[in-house]
Amino acid sequence: MKTLTLALATVATLALPGHAVAADGPGMTKKDSYRFVIIPKVVHPWFDLVNDGAQEAGAVIEAQTGSKVEIVYSAPQQADVVQQNQIIESSIATRPDGIAIDLLDASGNRASLEEAMEQGIPVTVFDSVPPEGMNLTSIGNDFCEQAEIASERLVELLGGEGEVAIMMGVPTAPNHAIRAECHEKVFAKYDGIKLVATGIDNDSIKTAQKQAAAIMQANPGLKGWVACDAAGPIGIGQAIQEAGKVGEVLMVGLDNLPEMPQLIRDGVADSSSSTKPQMQGYWSVMAMWQQATGIETPKYIDTGIAILTTDNVGE
């Protein structure tokens, strides 16, 4: 009887007006329409997948709430922080309900991001980490773990012996820089592994192909590659094929652009670790929508890492 009395008292307490969710409390605000801006690093197939996920999230919100959702996808033509900041500032002027961005340069983007927040526009970061000291929700995965998976796999394939190279994306991009550093740390653990070159592709497949071709020509003893961005392994794969070095120069890739599974099927790449771009786009929009309704979002949303191998890429 005493337990029942306590239970009833608890129910009564929860039913008191002071314990009810306020009609204007967090998450209770609803608008007839929302407009969210997605700003990637550059025009790139990987970010097209991010946009696919963002559009899916917009459709889900519309279906569940009846509110109209517009996703504005605005990509710099080049991986240039000035261009990216111009897009941020133009977006601020249109007063969107949220901005999600993949940073090209944490320090270079800071002032524009701070301006958006001062204007009361929620900011979310995807495929990156926020500038130091900025309390922003970030959506992505453990970039260092992703790099370690790839470089440890390459070391295993080489039997702990051989010359290797790293293809960076955009050197100032936080996620690319983190991956490069973690690749280097893995290689440094093995006496038989020698890092002989680091290319910079600025998230361009064409540039990655040219860089990889030049590096392999300058280092004829090169035995393996890893990359720090989605464009890198595609360009590396093309260079390996063009040089007739399939099976002679090994590669462990990154991400899941359509070309990547084909490179694995063709034996050009052993495997790849993917950052799940569709999921990053989806949860970027969901986070911005939650913020627009007044809900505090978590500091970090981990989308995880998917491993592509010959066992799961299909025929």
Side-chain angles (χ1 to χ4, degrees):
M1 180 62 69
K2 183 176 181 181
T3 301
L4 177 60
T5 301
L6 287 172
L8 291 173
T10 301
V11 171
T13 301
L14 291 174
L16 291 174
H19 292 266
V21 176
D24 59 350
M28 304 305 289
T29 301
K30 182 181 177 182
K31 295 176 61 177
D32 293 334
S33 64
Y34 297 93
R35 183 165 48 84
F36 302 118
V37 179
I38 306 291
I39 305 176
K41 286 188 178 79
V42 69
V43 174
H44 193 291
W46 190 88
F47 293 112
D48 292 341
L49 300 178
V50 172
N51 188 32
D52 288 345
Q55 298 291 341
E56 179 186 352
V60 169
I61 294 169
E62 286 189 352
Q64 297 299 321
T65 68
S67 299
K68 181 70 176 176
V69 177
E70 180 185 3
I71 307 297
V72 180
Y73 178 75
S74 189
Q77 290 299 310
Q78 296 178 323
D80 182 278
V81 69
V82 174
Q83 288 188 24
Q84 193 178 47
N85 284 338
Q86 288 172 343
I87 292 173
I88 298 171
E89 289 156 13
S90 296
S91 300
I92 291 171
T94 68
R95 306 295 304 171
D97 294 290
I99 294 174
I101 182 170
D102 186 352
L103 304 179
L104 272 168
D105 186 322
S107 59
N109 289 129
R110 177 185 288 274
S112 295
L113 300 181
E114 289 175 342
E115 181 183 349
M117 296 176 70
E118 288 170 2
Q119 295 289 330
I121 300 170
V123 175
T124 297
V125 173
F126 69 94
D127 190 42
S128 187
V129 293
E132 187 175 354
M134 293 192 72
N135 185 24
L136 302 176
T137 292
S138 65
I139 297 163
N141 62 290
D142 187 326
F143 305 120
C144 189
E145 179 188 5
Q146 185 184 20
E148 289 170 345
I149 289 170
S151 44
E152 290 283 4
R153 175 59 178 166
L154 181 60
V155 171
E156 179 184 353
L157 292 170
L158 295 176
E161 298 281 344
E163 296 181 358
V164 298
I166 299 170
M167 184 66 73
M168 285 195 68
V170 181
T172 58
N175 57 335
H176 297 181
I178 290 169
R179 290 179 186 131
E181 181 181 358
C182 292
H183 281 314
E184 291 175 4
K185 287 181 178 178
V186 169
F187 293 147
K189 294 191 305 182
Y190 299 93
D191 293 337
I193 296 294
K194 183 180 180 182
L195 177 61
V196 296
T198 300
I200 297 174
D201 61 42
N202 284 315
D203 232 340
S204 164
I205 293 173
K206 183 177 180 180
T207 302
Q209 182 274 327
K210 290 181 178 178
Q211 289 267 306
I215 288 171
M216 287 191 292
Q217 186 174 9
N219 299 274
L222 185 70
K223 294 300 182 184
W225 278 100
V226 290
C228 302
D229 66 314
I234 311 304
I236 294 168
Q238 292 173 354
I240 290 173
Q241 290 171 313
E242 291 165 3
K245 293 189 173 183
V246 176
E248 178 183 344
V249 177
L250 307 179
M251 177 179 66
V252 178
L254 191 90
D255 276 312
N256 64 343
L257 294 185
E259 297 93 336
M260 196 68 247
Q262 189 60 51
L263 289 171
I264 294 172
R265 287 191 287 267
D266 292 342
V268 181
D270 167 76
S271 55
S272 184
S273 55
S274 168
T275 51
K276 303 183 182 179
Q278 297 95 326
M279 189 180 292
Q280 290 196 36
Y282 182 94
W283 285 105
S284 292
V285 171
M286 285 297 181
M288 287 188 289
W289 173 59
Q290 294 286 292
Q291 292 168 7
T293 67
I295 293 178
E296 182 180 359
T297 52
K299 183 176 181 180
Y300 180 53
I301 298 174
D302 189 343
T303 56
I305 300 168
I307 307 300
L308 305 181
T309 68
T310 53
D311 293 332
N312 60 17
V313 296
E315 298 295 332

